[in-house]
Amino acid sequence: MIKKIYFFLQLSTKILLLTALVLVFIFFQKDIAPFLAEKYLKELSIEYSSLEGTLFNGVEIKDFRYKESIKAKKLNIKYNFLSLIRPTPRIASLNAEGVFIDLDKLLDSEASSNIAFNISDIELKDAILVYKGERAHFDFDGSNLSYREVVDIEKIYLKLNSKYGDLELRGEVKADALMAKSSLLISDEIRAKYIDFLTYMPKSLAVDVDINSKKINLKTNLKNVGIKSIPNLAAEDVKLDFSYSIDKENFTLKTNYKAKYEEYEAVVTQSTLVDKNKKVTSDIKAEIINEKNRLPFDEFAIKVDYENNTTKALFSAKDISLTLLTQDFKSFLLGGDTIYAKFDAEILKDVDETFLQAKIYPKDEYLKYKNYNLKRFSKLNLYAYEKNKNVLLSLNSDILSLVLSGDEAKVKGFADLGSAHFEFDSDIEKKTAIVATKIASVNAFMKEVDIKPLNAFFDAKIAAKTDITFKDALEAYSKVEMPTYTLRLDSKREFSDIDNSFEFFYKENEFTLKKYNIGVQNRRIYSKKASKIVLNSDSNIEFREFWIYDNVLLKGLVKTADMSADFSIKSDNFHYESKDANVTFKVDLKAGIEADGKQHVDGELKILDGVITYEPKKDYTITDEDIIIIQDIKEQEQQNNREINIHLTSIKPIKYKAKDISATFVPDLILYQEMGSYLQIFGVLNIKNGEVNIRDKNFELKESEVYLYGTKEINPYLNLNLHFNTIDNIEIEIYITNRLNSPVIILSSKPAMSQNDILSYILFDGSASSVFNATSDLSKTSLSTILLGTGLKKALNETTGVNIDTLNILTNKEGTLGYEIGTRFNKKIRIVYKNDEISSLILQYSLNKSLRIDVDVKETGQGISIIYMKDFDLNIP
């Protein structure tokens, strides 16, 4: 048994040794590998000139070719045979020299397969890559290459040279995607063809690479770059994202940067697409973060299209759109549309000069011109010429002419708008300007520029000089002289004066009216105290303090959104002086204006001291009966949009002085008006004392009252008490009661006398019986009444200026007096007013010498009488 076992072991050992010898012969025999390669590699479309090596360690292949898509002068493959028999074979290293790869043919011929392998190290030297008919030279080193449906390479070093530039990168490949850090040097050809317009481009760019079978993506940063055609324009902190689509053969360039132009700065985002036909489309969006002068927008967008050597740019911002077209960047066609106007322009640029010609068409729908006729400004012609930084600009239309000239340091010029003339001189370095304005006639100027006239006539001559500073904030100081002005409300109310002036200062939305002086009907309204008016953050006008006469303070707020307003008006010592009054007030008023125009005024006026000298005017008094007066009478407002509640008092009696009257009185009045109604006066005038002088007679005015009860016409109730001493010491009391338009006069005396005697004493310093010799009481009364009427008629004619041809004193059975007044307007028309038991008005019209028509209007009715008149001879025997 032992002998059999020994024999089996001996035989097995011999077989194993023989097998090992055969395998060693196969794997290490140099002739075996070429033999097997000759037999099997040709079936895989692989050709070569020679193959050396063993199956166990590796081979060296010369003049390697694979389907005309991959070639190599020398190919070294090293491996461990045991690594090849794994499920995923591993090659220790692969080195190739003189490699040629036609990627177009390789991609077309390569079919899908389930082959999987690993290569620990791979090196390609002096390699050529062909893609889309273009060649690139490269050297490649890689480690841990793995292929199983997709390619993974743990570490890559690539150095590539092409007509686009030189690339050196280090990275990795994951799932057929290359991700690497690289350094790119753009070729002179590409620089001249695509980016020659830039003033700065670094020799080498640090680029992040991301490449797969569908796209090539490159990212890089630039510190600073400029544009040759725009010297003052520069971009900083530029971030570039380049993406090339292999299928579509186009590339996209996305850019973020900070753009600077002179003292303006913006953050810009830009996207540019270039297709295979070299058509360029670029979209730019910018946000302004710093600006020299305030622009009408905070952000803008630009779209640029380039095709067939033609560039078109579209600019859009808030309320602004512009179109620019150029082929050589020397001549430009520019079109624009804004909320202000549309325009077309042509720009010609040379090395050191620029010419601009434009036509501007203002828009009438622009809010500020919404109700303004722009026909005379419907087209503006603009000319501008710049050479060596010297600029000449001209703008003209039907009634506008503007000329400017200057450089970067100073600008001056003039403008004529209708008959108004403006001159200005500015120093840009010092940021100051002076503007002089002259307007010969405001009324003519408003007509020239088609400004809607005011409801009233206004005209003035104006000369102004304004000093402007715009260093940190806009400041303006202006002096305005108004030598003459005229304001005519209607034929009765006209105001005009000379030598009017204003001075004001503006800074940061605050107006300071330093002083003003205006004449109104030969009276000066002025203030030398500074008044402050502010446009606040809500765009409302705030009157922080506005002084009138240096002692009346107005404060309030005007809301510009709806033009509503609230004011307070206060003064502790407001002095008013004119030929009619010399009065000092304490004022405490509040006034408001609602959005719909309704007005509210309430408060208190207190008279501190004063003298009233007002006398009724005697206007339109004529004595020629052939003159007919046509008078413009201002219509009464039917609906007053106002509420008034003002309490008028005084702290002590006020003096009243006129030609024949001297008195003191204390007012206690309410000036009241309801919305939609008329102004009413309630209260009382308490007359303390005084005297009345008529025709050398002195009447003592005792304590009396005048009561006002708010009627539409001022028709107060009277409670007047006059005292008269005759030359023979008879005391006469005259009481006037009832309303002003229908007074009742009551006479009494000590000792008691008749009404006729009292009137006779007042007029003729004697009783009727002593002055007139009559035989009967009836005759005495009638005669004295006639003479009394004659005396009163003469007194009224002298004091009022109205020609009264008839004045009769009437007596009635109650013992009171009435009167009858008649006046003739011309030969045919006469009016008689009679106040006896009732009031009546009679219009008498003479048709001829014998026939007259009387129109009688009484409180109880109306009537028409036709009266025939004939003369009789009373001396017929």
Side-chain angles (χ1 to χ4, degrees):
M1 184 63 180
I2 296 173
K3 188 175 183 179
K4 289 181 178 180
I5 293 172
Y6 174 77
F7 178 76
F8 174 76
L9 293 173
Q10 186 180 23
L11 181 61
S12 299
T13 302
K14 292 180 179 180
I15 293 173
L16 290 173
L17 289 173
L18 180 61
T19 302
L21 290 174
V22 171
L23 291 175
V24 169
F25 177 81
I26 293 174
F27 290 125
F28 292 97
Q29 178 56 251
K30 294 183 178 180
D31 295 333
I32 297 299
F35 172 77
L36 295 176
E38 183 73 19
K39 184 174 181 61
Y40 295 106
L41 290 182
K42 289 185 178 180
E43 295 179 1
L44 299 176
S45 301
I46 296 176
E47 298 180 2
Y48 55 91
S49 63
S50 64
L51 187 149
E52 297 179 356
T54 65
L55 291 178
F56 190 84
N57 293 322
V59 297
E60 180 182 279
I61 304 174
K62 295 182 178 179
D63 298 325
F64 177 86
R65 294 186 302 276
Y66 174 69
K67 293 183 178 182
E68 298 298 325
S69 59
I70 300 178
K71 298 179 182 179
K73 290 182 180 180
K74 182 188 291 187
L75 178 63
N76 287 317
I77 302 174
K78 295 182 179 181
Y79 52 81
N80 187 322
F81 182 77
L82 297 177
S83 300
L84 295 179
I85 62 177
R86 295 176 180 178
T88 302
R90 173 175 290 276
I91 297 174
S93 66
L94 188 152
N95 298 316
E97 297 179 3
V99 178
F100 175 86
I101 301 174
D102 191 331
L103 192 58
D104 297 327
K105 293 180 179 180
L106 181 63
L107 294 176
D108 290 340
S109 62
E110 193 68 26
S112 60
S113 66
N114 295 321
I115 298 176
F117 62 87
N118 295 322
I119 302 177
S120 298
D121 293 296
I122 183 170
E123 181 180 6
L124 306 178
K125 293 183 178 180
D126 192 19
I128 297 174
L129 176 68
V130 177
Y131 180 69
K132 301 294 182 181
E134 296 183 355
R135 292 191 173 201
H137 296 267
F138 69 94
D139 293 330
F140 177 85
D141 286 332
S143 61
N144 292 329
L145 184 150
S146 174
Y147 176 75
R148 184 187 293 273
E149 295 182 355
V150 296
V151 176
D152 293 301
I153 305 177
E154 185 177 310
K155 188 176 181 181
I156 289 177
Y157 171 77
L158 174 67
K159 187 175 182 180
L160 182 143
N161 305 104
S162 70
K163 73 174 187 177
Y164 300 103
D166 298 335
L167 176 68
E168 185 175 357
L169 67 81
R170 289 179 172 82
E172 62 179 355
V173 175
K174 288 185 178 181
D176 293 338
L178 170 65
M179 291 171 287
K181 301 286 186 180
S182 69
S183 175
L184 175 65
L185 180 64
I186 299 174
S187 68
D188 294 337
E189 179 184 356
I190 296 301
R191 185 188 297 271
K193 189 173 184 179
Y194 293 104
I195 60 175
D196 187 54
F197 63 93
L198 298 176
T199 57
Y200 166 78
M201 177 59 67
K203 293 183 179 180
S204 179
L205 295 175
V207 181
D208 293 338
V209 179
D210 185 358
I211 301 175
N212 55 41
S213 61
K214 294 183 179 181
K215 69 179 181 67
I216 299 173
N217 186 256
L218 307 176
K219 294 181 180 180
T220 188
N221 297 326
L222 298 174
K223 289 185 177 180
N224 191 299
V225 66
I227 299 177
K228 293 180 180 179
S229 59
I230 311 176
N232 295 327
L233 180 63
E236 297 179 352
D237 301 327
V238 182
K239 296 180 180 179
L240 298 174
D241 187 348
F242 172 87
S243 180
Y244 178 76
S245 174
I246 297 175
D247 296 335
K248 297 180 181 179
E249 300 182 29
N250 62 19
F251 70 82
T252 301
L253 180 62
K254 294 182 179 181
T255 312
N256 294 322
Y257 56 91
K258 185 183 294 183
K260 289 185 175 182
Y261 181 77
E262 294 182 349
E263 297 184 33
Y264 295 90
E265 191 172 352
V267 176
V268 181
T269 301
Q270 182 174 355
S271 177
T272 303
L273 173 65
V274 181
D275 65 13
K276 61 182 179 180
N277 298 318
K278 298 180 181 178
K279 178 182 177 181
V280 181
T281 302
S282 182
D283 291 305
I284 302 171
K285 294 182 179 180
E287 180 184 355
I288 298 171
I289 58 176
N290 192 20
E291 52 192 347
K292 177 180 179 181
N293 298 313
R294 177 64 179 169
L295 296 174
F297 49 83
D298 297 324
E299 55 186 24
F300 62 88
I302 302 175
K303 183 176 182 180
V304 180
D305 293 319
Y306 172 82
E307 186 175 13
N308 298 326
N309 203 36
T310 299
T311 300
K312 181 179 180 181
L314 300 176
F315 175 92
S316 61
K318 180 183 179 182
D319 302 322
I320 299 174
S321 63
L322 303 174
T323 303
L324 183 141
L325 186 66
T326 183
Q327 291 183 327
D328 54 7
F329 285 93
K330 292 183 178 180
S331 61
F332 303 86
L333 295 177
L334 182 65
D337 189 357
T338 73
I339 61 171
Y340 308 98
K342 291 184 177 181
F343 65 89
D344 298 312
E346 181 180 2
I347 304 173
L348 301 176
K349 282 184 62 69
D350 207 342
V351 178
D352 60 351
E353 60 182 343
T354 303
F355 175 75
L356 166 67
Q357 180 177 349
K359 295 179 180 179
I360 305 172
Y361 305 90
K363 288 185 176 180
D364 54 5
E365 63 264 26
Y366 175 51
L367 181 61
K368 291 185 178 178
Y369 302 135
K370 196 168 186 179
N371 298 319
Y372 180 69
N373 187 353
L374 282 172
K375 290 182 179 179
R376 306 184 75 178
F377 294 92
S378 59
K379 180 181 177 181
L380 298 172
N381 296 310
L382 173 65
Y383 302 91
Y385 177 74
E386 183 268 338
K387 185 174 183 179
N388 297 326
K389 297 184 178 181
N390 292 310
V391 178
L392 176 64
L393 182 144
S394 173
L395 179 67
N396 62 78
S397 69
D398 185 11
I399 62 171
L400 172 66
S401 177
L402 172 66
V403 177
L404 293 174
S405 62
D407 52 23
E408 293 180 343
K410 294 184 178 182
V411 176
K412 63 181 180 179
F414 67 88
D416 291 312
L417 181 59
S419 59
H421 182 73
F422 306 88
E423 294 183 2
F424 45 90
D425 191 349
S426 64
D427 190 321
I428 298 176
E429 292 181 344
K430 295 181 179 179
K431 297 184 178 180
T432 60
I434 299 174
V435 180
T437 305
K438 291 183 180 180
I439 302 177
S441 170
V442 172
N443 183 57
F445 175 71
M446 292 173 66
K447 291 179 180 179
E448 289 168 345
V449 296
D450 292 333
I451 295 177
K452 185 179 179 181
L454 303 173
N455 294 329
F457 174 81
F458 176 77
D459 196 11
K461 182 178 180 180
I462 294 177
K465 182 180 179 182
T466 305
D467 295 318
I468 302 173
T469 302
F470 42 93
K471 293 180 180 178
D472 299 325
L474 178 63
E475 299 180 12
Y477 177 75
S478 184
K479 291 183 178 180
V480 182
E481 301 290 338
M482 194 163 60
T484 62
Y485 86 90
T486 300
L487 174 62
R488 186 182 304 123
L489 302 177
D490 51 46
S491 61
K492 281 188 175 182
R493 296 181 295 173
E494 179 174 325
F495 308 94
S496 62
D497 217 304
I498 61 174
D499 298 331
N500 308 282
S501 63
F502 309 85
E503 288 186 25
F504 67 86
F505 177 75
Y506 170 83
K507 181 181 180 181
E508 296 180 349
N509 294 330
E510 180 176 295
F511 288 89
T512 301
L513 186 60
K514 300 183 77 66
K515 63 180 180 179
Y516 64 91
N517 192 323
I518 307 173
V520 180
Q521 290 185 325
N522 296 320
R523 178 176 179 82
R524 308 311 296 181
I525 300 176
Y526 61 88
S527 177
K528 295 182 180 179
K529 283 188 176 181
S531 299
K532 293 187 180 297
I533 305 171
V534 178
L535 184 65
N536 63 24
S537 58
D538 297 325
S539 297
N540 296 325
I541 302 173
E542 182 180 350
F543 288 79
R544 290 188 177 173
E545 52 178 335
F546 189 89
W547 289 99
I548 305 170
Y549 290 119
D550 293 336
N551 53 20
V552 178
L553 179 60
L554 180 146
K555 293 184 178 181
L557 182 70
V558 177
K559 296 181 179 179
T560 56
D562 57 9
M563 294 309 295
S564 61
D566 289 295
F567 295 104
S568 67
I569 306 170
K570 293 186 178 182
S571 176
D572 292 329
N573 189 24
F574 169 55
H575 184 71
Y576 175 83
E577 183 176 358
S578 70
K579 65 178 182 178
D580 297 323
N582 187 349
V583 184
T584 302
F585 287 98
K586 181 177 181 180
V587 182
D588 188 1
L589 297 176
K590 291 185 179 180
I593 302 175
E594 297 181 8
D596 57 3
K598 294 180 180 179
Q599 303 171 21
H600 308 270
V601 182
D602 62 83
E604 184 176 358
L605 293 176
K606 185 173 290 186
I607 302 176
L608 305 179
D609 191 12
V611 177
I612 309 296
T613 57
Y614 171 79
E615 292 186 46
K617 293 180 174 59
K618 303 174 183 178
D619 294 339
Y620 309 107
T621 301
I622 61 169
T623 58
D624 191 340
E625 63 182 11
D626 295 325
I627 295 177
I628 298 176
I629 296 176
I630 300 176
Q631 177 181 342
D632 174 22
I633 301 176
K634 187 176 186 297
E635 292 185 1
Q636 295 288 333
E637 293 184 14
Q638 297 300 317
Q639 292 293 331
N640 290 309
N641 212 16
R642 184 185 305 113
E643 286 183 348
I644 296 177
N645 187 4
I646 298 176
H647 189 196
L648 175 63
T649 60
S650 67
I651 63 173
K652 64 180 181 179
I654 307 303
K655 296 179 181 179
Y656 178 80
K657 290 184 178 181
K659 181 179 179 182
D660 299 317
I661 302 174
S662 175
T664 60
F665 67 93
V666 176
D668 189 1
L669 302 175
I670 297 292
L671 281 66
Y672 182 79
Q673 181 177 1
E674 292 183 343
M675 198 70 66
S677 184
Y678 51 87
L679 180 64
Q680 304 175 68
I681 301 177
F682 297 89
V684 61
L685 294 175
N686 292 297
I687 300 173
K688 297 300 182 181
N689 54 58
E691 61 180 22
V692 180
N693 294 291
I694 300 177
R695 297 178 60 82
D696 299 327
K697 291 183 172 58
N698 182 272
F699 296 85
E700 181 186 358
L701 183 59
K702 293 187 175 182
E703 286 196 22
S704 303
E705 295 84 24
V706 177
Y707 297 95
L708 295 100
Y709 290 94
T711 55
K712 185 173 184 180
E713 303 296 336
I714 298 179
N715 187 24
Y717 285 97
L718 306 176
N719 184 22
L720 302 179
N721 184 4
L722 293 171
H723 181 79
F724 177 66
N725 283 325
T726 67
I727 58 176
D728 50 358
N729 295 322
I730 296 175
E731 295 184 1
I732 297 176
E733 302 292 338
I734 305 172
Y735 300 97
I736 304 175
T737 62
N738 208 30
R739 288 185 177 268
L740 179 63
N741 66 348
S742 57
V744 174
I745 301 173
I746 301 173
L747 306 175
S748 66
S749 65
K750 292 181 180 180
M753 296 186 297
S754 67
Q755 298 286 303
N756 286 343
D757 284 340
I758 294 173
L759 286 172
S760 180
Y761 266 103
I762 293 173
L763 292 175
F764 306 112
D765 297 322
S767 65
S769 60
S770 63
V771 175
F772 307 110
N773 186 13
T775 58
S776 66
D777 292 338
L778 180 60
S779 299
K780 290 179 182 179
T781 302
S782 301
L783 183 59
S784 63
T785 300
I786 292 172
L787 292 178
L788 177 58
T790 303
L792 286 176
K793 172 185 171 183
K794 182 178 179 182
L796 289 172
N797 281 337
E798 290 178 354
T799 57
T800 65
V802 177
N803 288 325
I804 299 173
D805 58 17
T806 302
L807 192 152
N808 295 323
I809 302 299
L810 306 176
T811 59
N812 53 40
K813 59 184 180 180
E814 285 80 11
T816 59
L817 297 178
Y819 51 87
E820 181 182 72
I821 301 174
T823 183
R824 181 174 294 278
F825 284 93
N826 54 38
K827 292 180 179 180
K828 292 183 177 293
I829 299 176
R830 181 171 177 269
I831 292 179
V832 177
Y833 177 73
K834 184 178 181 181
N835 183 10
D836 189 7
E837 295 180 354
I838 60 174
S839 298
S840 63
L841 184 68
I842 303 172
L843 174 64
Q844 297 177 347
Y845 182 77
S846 299
L847 295 174
N848 52 45
K849 187 176 180 180
S850 302
L851 194 63
R852 188 182 77 202
I853 296 177
D854 286 5
V855 179
D856 189 359
V857 181
K858 302 180 180 180
E859 295 178 2
T860 57
Q862 303 176 2
I864 298 178
S865 303
I866 300 176
I867 301 174
Y868 176 76
M869 297 174 290
K870 183 173 176 60
D871 294 334
F872 296 95
D873 188 359
L874 299 178
N875 295 321
I876 297 175

